[in-house]
Amino acid sequence: MGCRAIDTALVVEGGALRGVFSTGLLDGFLAAGFNPFDLFIGVSSGASNLAAYLAGMAGRNRRVYLEYSLRPDFVDVPRFLRGGHLIDLDWLWAITIREIRLDLGRIYARPQPFVVVMTDALTGAAVYRPTEARNLEHLLKASSAVPLLYRTYPLVDGRPMADGGVADAIPVGEAIRRGARRIMVVRSRHRDYRKTGGPSDFLIRWHVRHYPQLRRAVAARVGRYNDTVALIRRPPAGVSIVEVCPPPEFRVARLSQDFAVLAEGYDQGRAAAAEAMARWEQG
């Protein structure tokens, strides 16, 4: 099969449980039968939300956020303080594969490429990996492996990987490099958000100290994130970008454990779908 021309792309940011907004939005797209994209690129929870969208499984990831993520098996502070995972991706992947597995056949029945972003722990560089049915679930876990919060580096082609958000949280530049000229970017932060350093950055840099290039990537991510936001607002000539952000009243944090807050965030995503589709159709 020859390579398809890429003109349009859908890029979805991660952000752990803040991704409840994008899964609500994508469920709204499914309800409307809206999918005009030639390329899909996702990071961390954003990639998992894209997978459910491409599988046509409306409501699947709502259940992940509002049910599975609230079980004590997933987020466990005492376990973390004893040296284990704060977020147990192994448990989450095992139970969701067993109980609500993605329809892999439907995802790959369509020819448009689905790319998952990871960070190579040895080089600190972003890895943009095309997916297929045989590796998607593992790549989604690797893309979500936030250093420190999840203490393992999943191996992909024999190389340790970490959360894609470390190296490229909003891979709109990669969509442009692949030829996309009309791009929808779904974020998990308010439109006026600018990343700043904080105590968590120091802790993560200490945690990854045995991976010096990954440590440098963690240190550089604030500037890289803000540069990407600037690119979204002022894209190159010939490129148009529709940016979809949660509303100012969006309250979901990375590890929110409040059902009402998460349900509200999902509903905010559903409510944003109509406007996002209208903006896209306006060109």
Side-chain angles (χ1 to χ4, degrees):
M1 183 187 302
C3 294
R4 292 174 56 89
I6 291 173
D7 181 60
T8 60
L10 177 60
V11 174
V12 185
E13 182 181 9
L17 295 178
R18 288 195 303 271
V20 74
F21 172 81
S22 64
T23 209
L25 181 88
L26 294 172
D27 277 357
F29 289 177
L30 283 174
F34 177 78
N35 188 344
F37 308 105
D38 302 321
L39 169 67
F40 306 91
I41 308 181
V43 183
S44 190
S45 61
S48 293
N49 293 342
L50 269 177
Y53 169 64
L54 294 174
M57 299 175 71
R60 188 253 187 199
N61 280 20
R62 182 185 189 276
R63 185 176 173 189
V64 172
Y65 287 97
L66 299 183
E67 179 184 337
Y68 294 97
S69 75
L70 297 178
R71 295 185 189 180
D73 310 80
F74 183 52
V75 178
D76 187 334
V77 174
R79 177 182 63 209
F80 176 69
L81 295 176
R82 294 193 301 269
H85 303 304
L86 179 60
I87 55 172
D88 191 344
L89 299 181
D90 300 326
W91 172 83
L92 183 63
W93 257 246
I95 194 170
T96 54
I97 287 172
R98 184 168 67 247
E99 297 183 358
I100 51 171
R101 191 170 195 175
L102 291 162
D103 186 342
L104 299 171
R106 184 166 180 179
I107 293 172
Y108 295 100
R110 55 186 303 135
Q112 292 86 344
F114 175 21
V115 175
V116 168
V117 184
M118 302 168 288
T119 301
D120 188 314
L122 299 179
T123 66
V127 175
Y128 306 97
R129 180 64 183 267
T131 65
E132 49 192 316
R134 67 175 180 83
N135 64 15
L136 174 64
E137 290 159 333
H138 183 64
L139 296 179
L140 292 176
K141 183 194 287 189
S143 181
S144 300
V146 180
L148 183 62
L149 305 188
Y150 178 73
R151 297 183 185 270
T152 304
Y153 298 96
L155 295 178
V156 175
D157 297 331
R159 298 184 68 83
M161 296 291 167
D163 174 53
V166 173
D168 195 355
I170 318 175
V172 64
E174 181 64 15
I176 294 170
R177 284 189 289 273
R178 288 174 181 252
R181 292 298 173 261
R182 295 191 66 212
I183 303 168
M184 181 179 287
V185 179
V186 182
R187 298 183 58 198
S188 61
R189 295 282 197 177
H190 305 132
R191 191 178 191 281
D192 59 357
Y193 173 78
R194 294 293 183 275
K195 186 176 283 296
T196 58
S200 63
D201 291 288
F202 173 81
L203 291 173
I204 292 174
R205 288 200 302 271
W206 178 85
H207 176 72
V208 302
R209 64 196 182 279
H210 300 303
Y211 293 86
Q213 298 302 324
L214 182 60
R215 187 176 188 276
R216 292 187 180 93
V218 171
R221 67 179 180 165
V222 170
R224 188 163 49 244
Y225 186 97
N226 294 332
D227 288 346
T228 300
V229 173
L231 173 64
I232 292 170
R233 304 290 163 74
R234 302 186 70 174
V239 175
S240 63
I241 297 177
V242 173
E243 179 186 8
V244 183
C245 299
E249 61 272 20
F250 184 67
R251 299 187 290 158
V252 182
R254 177 180 289 275
L255 296 180
S256 288
Q257 292 290 285
D258 185 315
F259 177 91
V261 169
L262 289 166
E264 177 186 81
Y266 174 86
D267 290 343
Q268 289 166 332
R270 283 297 301 260
E275 181 185 355
M277 290 185 288
R279 290 172 60 200
W280 181 266
E281 296 297 345
Q282 289 166 6

